[in-house]
Each structure stands twice: as C-alpha cells, then as structure tokens.
Amino acid sequence: VWPSSDSKNGSALAQPRGDDSTLDVAENHKKQLRPIYIIDDDIKNRCNVGINRVRFLLESLIDLNSNLRKLNLQLYVVNGKPLEVFSKLFTEWKVDFLTFEKAVEPEIIEEDEHIEELSNKNNVFVVQRISHTIYDCQSIINKNNGNIPLTYPKFLSLVQDVQVKITNEIIKPVSNYCQPSIDAFEKQDPNCYDVNQHFKLSSEDLSTEICYPGGETEALKRLNDILQKKDWICNFEKPNTSPNSLEPSTTVLSPYISLGCLSAKLFYKELKTIERNHPHTKPPVSLLGQLMWREFYYVAATGTVNFDKMIGNPICMQIPWDKNESFLKAWAEGKTGYPFIDAIMKQLISEGWIHHLARHMVACFLTRGDLWISWEEGAKIFEKYLLDYDWALNSGNWLWLSASAFFYKYFRVYSPIAFGKKTDKDGLYIRKYVPELKKYPSEYIYEPWKAPLSVQKQANCIIGTRVDLALGSRMGVGHTNEVVRTDSNSITIVRPIPGGSYDPHDPF
Ligand code: FAD
C-alpha cells in the first residue's frame, strides 16, 4: 500500500528516483502492491481549491492510473479521512506494510503521526521517505547547527558538498509482485476505486480552456521539450525572462513538480548533466538556481513554526496590516483598475499559472507596495488558483515579497505602470486579459485614466469612478523613481460601456 495523505502528493512512476524512494521500498517487499490516493474531504474543505486545481488533480490521477495499468497495477482512489480509510482497509487488504512520503506541512505531519500510531496498533510496518525535495531538509538544518539558513548564499554553501543520490531504476511490472485480489468493496461496486467516482465536474467546469493538462505523461513531455533547448537552459537568467509574454518565458514545470507528477530530483539530475558539459549561468539566476530556491524555502519551512502565519512565526516581521475587504476583493478579482495588476490576476484565475515576476508584482501591490493588506490574505487567494500551489513555497515567497522575512528592502517597490512596460510596451498582455481595454492606444494602456475622454469613447471603454486609497507610504515608502503614476491616490475601475454609451457618473 502506498498512500498519499493529501491532495498535494503524487508519484513519479517512470522516472528515476532517489535511491531510497517510497516506490523502491514498496518494490523490494515483493508483495501485493496497492498504490492508494486518499482524497481527504477535510483537507479539501479546508483548502480553498479552485476548479483549475481540481481539474489538474483529476487529470493527474487519471494519468497515474493509466501508467500504473501499463505495469499491471492500478490506483486505488478513496475518499475520506485517512485514519478512517486505513482502519477499514488495513483489515480488508490484510496490510502489513505501508510506505509514504515524508511531509513538511505541520497539519499533514500530525496526521501522518496518527497514521503511524494506527499502523503500529495493527502490526503494519511503516516506512516514510523523502522524495519531494532534492535534499533532506532537516539534515541541512542540522548541518547549520540547528538553525535555518536565512539567506540563499548561506543555503548554497551548506548544500554544495551534499551528494544527491539518484538511481535510474524504474518501477517494475506487477509480475514482480502478486496481483492484488478483488476486495469486498469492489465486489459490491467494481468501479469504487475509480478516480471518476470521486470527482463530479459540471460541464461548465470542464468548459474552461485548458492551458496546462495535468499528469506525469504531460510533465515528462514538457521536460523533454525543455531539455532539447540546451542553449536556452545554459543562458537562462530568471530576471531576464518576461512576466508578461503571451507564451510563458519560463518552464511552467512548477504545477507538475508541486503535485508530484515530475520529480524535482529528475529535473535536477538532467540540469546537472547539461551543466557538466556546457558553460552555463549560475545560481541564483540559472535554471538550476531556481530549483535551489525551491529547496531553500523547503528548508526554511521545515525549521520554522507557524511558517504560513505572521503571528507566532519567529522569522516574520510583525506588521499592522490593514483590513479592507473591498480592496482585497478588487485585487483578487482583477478589478483594481490598474490594468497590469488586473491582467495578471485574470490570467491567474483563468489559467492557474503566472510568471514569477508577475507574482512579485501583484504580491507587492497587495502588501507593502499599495494596498497594505496582509500577505496571508494574498497567500489564500494564490492557494485557490495556483496549479502549482505548494504550502512551503507559497508561504516562503509571500514572506519574501511582503518584506516580512528573508528580504528587507521594503522601499524597493514595483510600479504597476512602469514595470510591465519594460517587456511589453504596447500592452499586448493587458489587451489579452483585460479585453475591455484592447482598443486603447499603447500610450494609455497602462494608465487608461489619463486618456482624454474622446480617446476613451473611441476605444469604447470609459474609465469609471475613482475611490481614494491611502497608498504606499506607511513606512515612509514611496515608489522607486521608476514610477510615472501621478494619480497614485486613486483606484479606478475599468468598465466597458454597454453599446458604446457613456455614463461618467455611473459608480462601479
Ligand atoms: P522556472 O523559472 O522554470 O523554475 C523551475 C522550477 O524551480 C519551478 O518549476 C519551481 O519548482 C522552482 N522555482 C522557481 N522559482 C522559485 C521560487 N522563487 N521559489 C521556489 N521555487 C521556485 N512556486 C510554487 O511552485 N508554488 C507556489 O505555491 C508558489 N507561490 C509563490 C507565491 C509568490 C508570492 C511568489 C512570488 C512566488 C511563488 N512561487 C511558487 C515561486 C515561483 O513563482 C514559481 O515556482 C515559478 O514561477 C514557477 O514557474 P516555472 O515552473 O516556469 O519556473
């Protein structure tokens, strides 16, 4: 039995793994092997999961099952609380061995401890392995005398001589095990472990455009396409990739890595091989450097209590954030009136992935830059929509962007106008995601409120009423001199005019 105790864990079947992965442990026991995925209703309800994330998970599980079928195995998808599920299945399946991935998130760790207790009571031998990260995060902390490395260079210095062991073995077909017998639940309902039994998506849910299909097959295809572009990999510099290109300027492997469709170790191994043979850029900006950021945040999350909160988090600066439901809502729905901010949020909602620097832009805007709303609120919205949502990485990056931990140059604020112009001066990205503005001349696309009324009318979009905001200067912070915005105390809502009519007094 190979359980996955929450909706974030997955598997990497056809991929090389760390030599101590859960699958190797399962294989070596040569018994009936039942890969199981538990969809915990509690976790599902606690997490605020948007439809794109559910769809991605569903596709990933379907793909996992079909890959397992090729090995004469199958995925057992079960709904319920893991403890109750195992109480039932330990007896029904006569389980004597259970292996799963070590978790980082405190709630999951606690749940795993209960599962271990239950297993002990039932004489089930449990093995947990680290397979989600490249390094053993706790051993990095131990190496640093029990402290988490708070800077990236410090982290790199700690891992530079750590050997990463990766084998090339792949899981063997089921002839190496005994074929699992049909259990009592399957006798009643032969499809009871079928993933489709557990998700009911409406036709409306399924009608949205799919930019990133879930699953290991797609992940490996994407990885292989990227590995063909050796020059691109060797010259990769994250700050020089564009946050607002219409095609992604980075790999978009994150959803697959986060859900376990792609092993971070495999990606690491492939990049290391390329690096060994070609001149290449270096961390923090290189592609390998990006994977190291992932490890950096995982180590920090492993060693920090209340990592996803401000209160009780020893590394988080305590900041008296404002509460403002309407501004938060405007930000979350992409209705702030700042076209670049709104375009990013619309892309997030509709596609489930946005570029790292686009995340910087909207996270800075929500927190220290403009709206002065807590990073915890922003993290919840990201949790709902990001296909790559990951507890440790989301919290860590929000801590960084709000200048609450790791990064303290709070006065370096992104301009919602100048920043996007650097890579997209005509605002093609805005035109795509905020189509109300698509006829605006480039001159006004980032600041439509500056367009004369005649231009607004011609573009068939009149700028709505403004609401005063206290922007930016709580900590004596102003925007950097990049900022060209003169209406910095206003929020505007962009509204299309129905039928081309114009009502300047119509409040939004
Ligand atoms: P690439 O540039 O191609 O990088 C390759 C891989 O490196 C990524 O797939 C990812 O696994 C890792 N990586 C890259 N940048 C980072 C980073 N800054 N921190 C950690 N790992 C990184 N990433 C998530 O995977 N899940 C999250 O929930 C998440 N939340 C974020 C929240 C905020 C506010 C910010 C600013 C960043 C967040 N990130 C998160 C980090 C980063 O934005 C994404 O990992 C990256 O944009 C994914 O795109 P990519 O796969 O094309 O990245």
Side-chain angles (χ1 to χ4, degrees), residues 236 238 250-254 257-258 267 287 290-291 293-294 297 353-356 359-360 363 382 386 388-390 393-394 397-398 401:
F236 185 94
K238 187 66 162 272
T250 52
T251 64
V252 196
L253 287 175
S254 52
I257 298 174
S258 287
F267 189 18
L287 202 46
Q290 304 316 300
L291 274 184
W293 279 112
R294 183 173 183 274
Y297 286 120
W353 180 90
I354 48 177
H355 185 278
H356 182 59
R359 298 179 201 209
H360 272 228
F382 271 28
L386 275 180
D388 63 28
Y389 169 71
D390 177 300
L393 304 186
N394 196 41
N397 276 285
W398 273 98
L401 258 298

Side-chain angles (χ1 to χ4, degrees), residues 481-495:
N481 55 11
E482 283 177 342
V483 178
V484 294
R485 189 178 61 200
T486 53
D487 295 286
S488 63
N489 285 330
S490 309
I491 189 167
T492 66
I493 301 295
V494 174
R495 309 184 69 235

Side-chain angles (χ1 to χ4, degrees), residues 165-186:
K165 292 184 202 147
I166 297 166
T167 62
N168 272 318
E169 263 182 63
I170 59 169
I171 189 167
K172 296 159 195 90
V174 82
S175 51
N176 285 23
Y177 321 92
C178 312
Q179 183 80 44
S181 45
I182 290 181
D183 71 15
F185 305 110
E186 284 171 301

Side-chain angles (χ1 to χ4, degrees), residues 303-334:
T304 309
V305 288
N306 296 313
F307 189 66
D308 59 341
K309 300 179 181 66
M310 178 177 82
I311 295 172
N313 178 343
I315 64 166
C316 179
M317 189 175 279
Q318 304 296 300
I319 296 173
W321 300 109
D322 281 349
K323 280 205 182 316
N324 189 322
E325 286 304 322
S326 60
F327 289 172
L328 176 61
K329 189 167 183 290
W331 176 85
E333 292 178 357

Side-chain angles (χ1 to χ4, degrees), residues 133-252:
T133 49
I134 297 165
Y135 302 108
D136 171 353
C137 297
Q138 189 56 52
S139 78
I140 306 299
I141 296 172
N142 297 346
K143 204 172 167 196
N144 198 32
N145 303 319
N147 303 313
I148 59 162
L150 281 170
T151 66
Y152 184 80
K154 178 71 192 169
F155 164 78
L156 286 186
S157 73
L158 290 165
V159 297
Q160 68 176 354
D161 57 355
V162 176
Q163 291 297 317
V164 180
K165 292 184 202 147
I166 297 166
T167 62
N168 272 318
E169 263 182 63
I170 59 169
I171 189 167
K172 296 159 195 90
V174 82
S175 51
N176 285 23
Y177 321 92
C178 312
Q179 183 80 44
S181 45
I182 290 181
D183 71 15
F185 305 110
E186 284 171 301
K187 278 181 194 146
Q188 278 171 20
D189 172 5
N191 299 321
C192 66
Y193 296 119
D194 186 334
V195 61
N196 291 307
Q197 297 278 56
H198 302 276
F199 287 98
K200 298 275 172 272
L201 299 188
S202 67
S203 49
E204 196 193 341
D205 289 339
L206 293 167
S207 68
T208 50
E209 195 195 343
I210 298 172
C211 295
Y212 308 107
E216 182 190 31
T217 307
E218 175 68 24
L220 290 175
K221 181 175 165 298
R222 214 176 167 88
L223 175 69
N224 286 332
D225 288 349
I226 288 157
L227 294 175
Q228 303 307 312
K229 301 190 284 179
K230 289 204 176 43
D231 284 349
W232 182 78
I233 292 175
C234 291
N235 293 314
F236 185 94
E237 290 187 338
K238 187 66 162 272
N240 294 334
T241 59
S242 165
N244 45 6
S245 52
L246 296 184
E247 288 300 318
S249 60
T250 52
T251 64
V252 196

